[in-house]
Amino acid sequence: MGRLDVTVEVSARHVHLSQADIEKLFGAGAELTVKKEIPGGYVAAERVTLVGPKRSMERVAILGPARKETQVELSATDARSLGVDAPIRLSGHLENTPGIKIVAGNGNSVEIDHGCIIAQRHVHLNEEDAAKLGVTQNQNIDLRIDTGKDRALTFSDVIVRIGGPDSVVHLDTDEGNAAFTGASCIGTCIAE
């Protein structure tokens, strides 16, 4: 059995837009404005409103760069609140998912017919850490988080994604809150 400590990050609701949808929302030839660099991309200065069957959510972050297809990542709580029956999926696996209306601050909108998901919890491992843990791409592992706040928790079915320079776990806000994660949380990946 392998064990490896990694940083745990909580990923709040956000949108990845296609270039076509960026232009529909913000104008012909528009590009997103970089507000903050993050691994593999950036958080844009622009924000959007998600309009679901039940309610709306304002000031939702957009992550860049543009993607091939627009994707909305929600927590289960967000999806229920919006009235969207979003399935748990890995990023980019958008077939048979519900759509939603996305509105920019200027009033422009786009309605996607699919693309809303609850992101599957996953760990990005660099090749060295993957070898230390003894895991392969898309393997399921466990993640143990104990923040010392009487909320120790073990998550099963954490998908391994190998590649990139850093090793980090991504949870959604529901999962992060359940484990009492904070700004600097470390979890232990456990592979059998």
Side-chain angles (χ1 to χ4, degrees):
M1 180 185 318
R3 290 178 171 262
L4 179 72
D5 289 344
V6 296
T7 300
V8 176
E9 293 181 352
V10 175
S11 180
R13 71 183 75 98
H14 61 273
V15 176
H16 298 276
L17 294 171
S18 68
Q19 184 59 41
D21 286 344
I22 290 170
E23 294 187 23
K24 286 176 189 172
L25 291 168
F26 302 108
E31 293 191 19
L32 297 173
T33 307
V34 177
K35 179 179 179 182
K36 176 184 171 187
E37 298 280 344
I38 57 174
Y42 58 89
V43 178
E46 296 82 2
R47 294 287 187 264
V48 292
T49 297
L50 300 177
V51 181
K54 284 178 146 180
R55 66 172 286 224
S56 299
M57 289 184 174
E58 297 179 350
R59 300 206 37 80
V60 176
I62 303 169
L63 301 187
R67 292 250 180 125
K68 178 181 150 192
E69 200 170 5
T70 294
Q71 172 176 305
V72 177
E73 294 186 32
L74 305 166
S75 69
T77 299
D78 292 337
R80 270 190 228 101
S81 180
L82 287 164
V84 176
D85 189 19
I88 297 171
R89 296 281 177 83
L90 284 174
S91 180
H93 294 228
L94 305 179
E95 56 283 342
N96 300 315
T97 59
I100 200 163
K101 185 175 184 180
I102 303 169
V103 183
N106 61 16
N108 291 350
S109 66
V110 62
E111 191 143 357
I112 58 172
D113 63 2
H114 69 286
C116 289
I117 65 169
I118 299 166
Q120 169 71 44
R121 58 183 161 255
H122 56 278
V123 58
H124 296 276
L125 294 174
N126 60 39
E127 291 190 18
E128 181 182 338
D129 285 344
K132 283 182 196 172
L133 191 56
V135 294
T136 58
Q137 185 80 330
N138 297 320
Q139 182 176 336
N140 281 318
I141 62 169
D142 292 338
L143 172 70
R144 176 83 174 152
I145 299 175
D146 186 355
T147 59
K149 297 185 180 186
D150 298 326
R151 285 284 179 114
L153 200 60
T154 300
F155 290 105
S156 298
D157 301 320
V158 179
I159 304 292
V160 172
R161 301 180 97 179
I162 300 172
D166 301 315
S167 293
V168 61
V169 171
H170 287 155
L171 303 177
D172 70 25
T173 51
D174 289 345
E175 295 162 330
N177 288 339
F180 244 89
T181 59
S184 57
C185 182
I186 301 296
T188 302
C189 293
I190 304 165
E192 294 187 20

